[in-house]
Amino acid sequence: MRLVLGDQLSPRIAALRYVDKAQDVILLAEVDAEATYIRHHKKKIAFVFAAMRAFAARLRADGFQVRYVKLDDPLNSGSLRGEISRALLDETFDEVIATEPGEHRLVADMEGWEAAFGMPVEIREDSRFLCTHAAFRSWAQGRTQLRMEFFYRKMREATGLLMDDREPVGGRWNFDAENRKPAKPDLFMPRPPRFDPDAETKVVLQLVSDRFSHHFGDLEPFWFGVTHEHAEVALQHFLREALPSFGDYQDAMLEGEPFLYHSVISMYLNVGLLDARDICQRAEQEYRHGRAPLNAVEGFVRQILGWREYVRGIYWLRGPDYLKSNALGATRDLPWFYWSAETNMSCMRAALQQTKTEAYAHHIQRLMVTGNFALLAGIDPHQVHEWYLAVYADAYEWVEAPNTIGMSQFADGGLLASKPYAASGAYINRMSDHCKGCAFDVKAKAGPTACPFNYLYWDFLARNRAKLSDNPRIAPMYRTLDRMSDERREEIAHDAATFLETP
Ligand code: FAD
Ligand code: SF4
């Protein structure tokens, strides 16, 4: 029996290696346990189920034997274990072959499968990634700091991507200094392609509407692609239309423009509808053929070859306890407006509202708006982690948890980020047009109309002095804080407490 999970929809997935069309049965199962252990966004559940169905149809068309269990099958046991057991009762198998899952919870469950099923269970390493577990461990071994930039250079050398012989193309590893422009509303914004739901996807939409109406987010309009062909259209569209400006506007935010020049491919890539190496090679070709500048292509390749592989390495290296990290001792509950999007802060409202409608926010919204706010407000990192895992269509624990717990909340004490991604309203004002229409005044430092990011920023530094003031990258901010009068520091603490205590 070959088991394929909902985020493993690639014909080259390890579990399908050397699959025998005559003898082997491929099992795919939509199970309640996976859809509800976190209350995933409705669009995310619909996307995964619809893509699973499309993948199963493709496998059948290619002559494979597929056992597909729909969520509303009356015999559906509701769990992966239950569905494998049921298949073993119905048919004769002598081995179960699976690909490693993307989270510790399922790894722990799989460890008990051999005993439960009374037969060999082979769990194969997921070969969709460019860095193996062993290669990451060997890179990390003996290092006191695990900085992404050095890992990324190693990956460039190992893969030959954006390399001229042994040198990085253009003579530098990183062209970030040329990126980071704020966007202007009159720029041409290439919107990601939208796909009309086919008949089977419409059935899934009805199912999700019936069964998961209490989950977060808007189910419709549903425009995600659900096949490899759709994902390919989305990728090609990005490479031609948006990649050339990707670097310039990577950190920009604009009211009413959820996607800007981002690729919006993470949900396809993370379930196997696209391949990471192929994407990087094709982005490189855009540069080699003179269709996209190096700052854009290097910036984009770094996200996939660097950040994506690096956070995965950290997730598996640190083990399940990483999820409990709380280096700053943050304990506040996640505010309700993360779910309702009802807030007077324009930047937060834009990010939260589009999260609700699209199950998507781009990196800077996740890191410097919703993540930054949670960090400054001292929200329990585990609650923040569960929120990010639930609300985004691309969220799987191996990629979401290090980004949230490490990069965004600094809860791992600086393993992943060399300093907390904490910023006042000035940063958001520089990179976006949100402040113009906001109920708060980004220039005001104190009082009820001042931008909350301003006093929360200083309050965060004051609260965490013992843990952060030795960090050389933020020491200058502590010197500024120390130059403030006692009255000013009291005012900051008062404004922060008043804002955070107000329901
Ligand atoms: P683009 O901006 O076009 O980037 C291209 C690709 O690079 C992405 O599709 C993605 O595959 C990869 N990438 C970029 N940044 C990262 C990163 N930091 N880590 C891993 N891959 C990256 N990404 C997820 O795929 N799933 C998540 O659950 C997730 N949770 C996040 C939570 C927080 C708090 C933060 C700060 C970031 C998170 N990210 C996550 C990373 C990043 O925000 C998304 O990958 C990106 O916004 C997806 O949109 P895009 O496809 O338009 O990406
Ligand atoms: Fe956000 Fe502050 Fe600007 Fe309002 S003023 S949009 S809260 S940064």
Side-chain angles (χ1 to χ4, degrees), residues 462-483:
R463 265 191 348 256
N464 291 292
R465 181 186 284 276
K467 288 171 179 150
L468 298 177
S469 59
D470 284 347
N471 183 320
R473 296 198 61 197
I474 35 178
M477 304 321 292
Y478 278 101
R479 286 198 286 277
T480 308
L481 184 63
D482 290 341
R483 282 196 297 272

Side-chain angles (χ1 to χ4, degrees), residues 344-348 425 428-429 434-435 438-442 451-453:
N344 288 335
M345 292 178 278
S346 288
C347 54
M348 289 288 282
I428 296 172
N429 193 30
H434 293 311
C435 300
C438 185
F440 296 101
D441 179 358
V442 72
C451 167
F453 282 91

Side-chain angles (χ1 to χ4, degrees), residues 93-358:
F93 295 99
D94 53 17
E95 186 181 12
V96 177
I97 299 177
T99 310
E100 61 179 352
E103 59 182 63
H104 301 298
R105 178 186 60 91
L106 267 181
V107 170
D109 191 47
M110 285 183 172
E111 277 163 6
W113 284 7
E114 281 201 347
F117 305 142
M119 69 173 60
V121 176
E122 186 192 345
I123 312 286
R124 295 180 176 170
E125 180 161 351
D126 194 339
S127 53
R128 286 177 293 172
F129 293 90
L130 291 136
C131 183
T132 61
H133 296 311
F136 192 85
R137 271 197 306 273
S138 126
W139 173 77
Q141 197 163 25
R143 285 173 192 264
T144 44
Q145 289 197 318
L146 301 180
R147 291 287 163 254
M148 198 291 292
E149 186 61 30
F150 298 111
F151 169 77
Y152 167 59
R153 291 179 191 178
K154 199 95 197 132
M155 290 300 290
R156 291 269 295 274
E157 286 169 346
T159 57
L161 282 161
L162 288 175
M163 297 293 288
D164 282 335
D165 294 328
R166 287 159 157 228
E167 294 303 314
V169 170
R172 268 157 52 200
W173 294 102
N174 184 315
F175 287 78
D176 237 10
E178 290 166 35
N179 297 341
R180 316 251 178 280
K181 291 187 190 147
K184 295 184 205 76
D186 56 353
L187 286 169
F188 167 69
M189 303 289 168
R191 296 285 174 111
R194 300 170 84 86
F195 303 92
D196 288 334
D198 62 10
E200 193 60 46
T201 302
K202 284 183 186 156
V203 172
V204 170
L205 291 175
Q206 190 58 53
L207 179 71
V208 172
S209 160
D210 293 344
R211 293 282 291 269
F212 304 106
S213 59
H214 55 298
H215 282 219
F216 173 76
D218 299 349
L219 180 58
E220 300 199 58
F222 184 86
W223 53 270
F224 295 169
V226 297
T227 64
H228 292 88
E229 290 74 20
H230 291 158
E232 179 60 25
V233 170
L235 174 62
Q236 285 202 23
H237 173 87
F238 165 72
L239 292 173
R240 292 294 148 88
E241 306 291 336
L243 177 61
S245 298
F246 174 85
D248 288 354
Y249 302 112
Q250 204 179 334
D251 285 5
M253 293 172 280
L254 273 183
E255 199 72 32
E257 291 292 346
F259 309 110
L260 293 149
Y261 294 91
H262 290 272
S263 63
V264 199
I265 55 164
S266 49
M267 74 267 204
Y268 303 134
L269 175 57
N270 292 351
V271 298
L273 298 184
L274 292 173
D275 175 73
R277 185 186 299 269
D278 176 59
I279 296 171
C280 292
Q281 285 170 340
R282 286 167 60 188
E284 176 170 359
Q285 286 312 308
E286 294 302 298
Y287 164 68
R288 299 269 184 202
H289 288 105
R291 291 190 291 261
L294 187 53
N295 71 314
V297 172
E298 187 282 311
F300 178 72
V301 167
R302 177 160 20 95
Q303 305 310 312
I304 295 179
L305 180 66
W307 279 110
R308 186 169 184 269
E309 297 287 330
Y310 168 79
V311 296
R312 176 176 183 261
I314 296 279
Y315 178 79
W316 291 113
L317 188 73
R318 301 312 281 205
D321 282 351
Y322 189 78
L323 302 179
K324 297 182 200 146
S325 312
N326 191 356
L328 299 180
T331 53
R332 195 174 290 280
D333 284 337
L334 188 79
W336 177 247
F337 61 74
Y338 271 71
W339 301 106
S340 69
E342 286 164 7
T343 162
N344 288 335
M345 292 178 278
S346 288
C347 54
M348 289 288 282
R349 190 173 55 234
L352 295 168
Q353 188 57 51
Q354 83 178 57
T355 299
K356 218 166 156 217
T357 53
E358 311 289 12

